Amino acid sequence: MLVPVLIRSRQHVMEFECGRKGRQRDKDERQDQGDCGSNDRTSEGRGSRADHGRGACSRNLHLCQPRKVLALASQAELHHATLHGQEVGPLGEKTVLIDTHTHLDDARFDGDRDAVITRAREAGVEAFITIGCDVATSRAAVSLADRYPFIYATVGVHPHEVKCIGDDWYDELRRLAQHPKVVAYGEIGLDYHYNHSPPKLQRDRFREQVCLARELRLPLVIHTREAQEDTIKILKEEKGSEVGGVFHCFSGDAWLAKDALNLGFFLSFSGVVTFQNATMLRDIMKTVPMDRLLVETDCPYLTPAPHRGKRNEPAYVKLIAEKIAELKGSTEPMSVQEVEGLTSQNACRLFKIPYGTPERGQSENAR
Ligand SMILES: [Zn+2]
Ligand SMILES: [Zn+2]
């Protein structure tokens, strides 16, 4: 059982030495040059997909400034932290949320982006993932991740946009993906509802991008609408399970949920679970194991009740966690705090985001 705790690091953070490759080393060096104390990093390295237990790795100690770290820790990790001179205490009622799918670069946030982010931070959102849908938005996502320590980015081409893919796009996406805060490849997939790009082209480009994500060793952010069977077929044929990923804004049926889980993927639920007519989706959500659930707003789209009709924003991800706690709680006791803690921990595991983020005051100053 994982418990949210506050870990106070006195004089060092610990880093994992698990066969890290160049890319991870770059990331660590960058981390060491000034951002070194932000956490007890899960630096397993994408080069080594083997599932290391965090306690089983040898570690390096790096001197750095004292810093408080928020973390979700297992008993073994707590034991380890104590051994290494860290103070560990209960987190209490503190909210820890990760909004795993946002479009923070969207023009609808241009007038008040900082205020939107501050509101979300005040509502307990510790980290955000902002998504690329083409080359321009992938660049914008990376530049947001550069500006804010608690924002992470993805790069990729949405099925709506694949008709625009030019000769140099994949090279540029490869280059952007080298940024240390790019945590996934996507959103990619198939959307036969709108068919903004021809279906055959969507399938071809989806296949290519699954291969590219495997080359980059990045997990996949999957967008699929009215295209369940083809999505699963392509993921199987192109070995998507090798990198894993998430079916974002899950809205499929029980068959898709089962197949996605069998492939080792996570399912992410959005404000749609709060919609009155989403009874089937709520029933499916109740069957998803807690260690495979993520939450997201997909803002500025899909605003949850009771704010429907307005622009969506990441602060509302809490409403989704509350809905999940209410629904899961109908069969087994489940607090909102547990849903927040477990979904955040899942996000950290899938996207290799460091457990915990810098303390609020520090992170706001750090940009
Ligand atoms: Zn999508
Ligand atoms: Zn999206």
Side-chain angles (χ1 to χ4, degrees), residues 111-125:
D112 62 345
R113 188 170 287 105
D114 279 337
V116 164
I117 290 168
T118 302
R119 262 200 299 283
R121 298 281 291 167
E122 283 166 5
V125 180

Side-chain angles (χ1 to χ4, degrees), residues 91-102:
L91 186 62
E93 296 303 306
K94 194 172 183 322
T95 299
V96 184
L97 274 161
I98 296 181
D99 188 348
T100 61
H101 194 109
T102 65

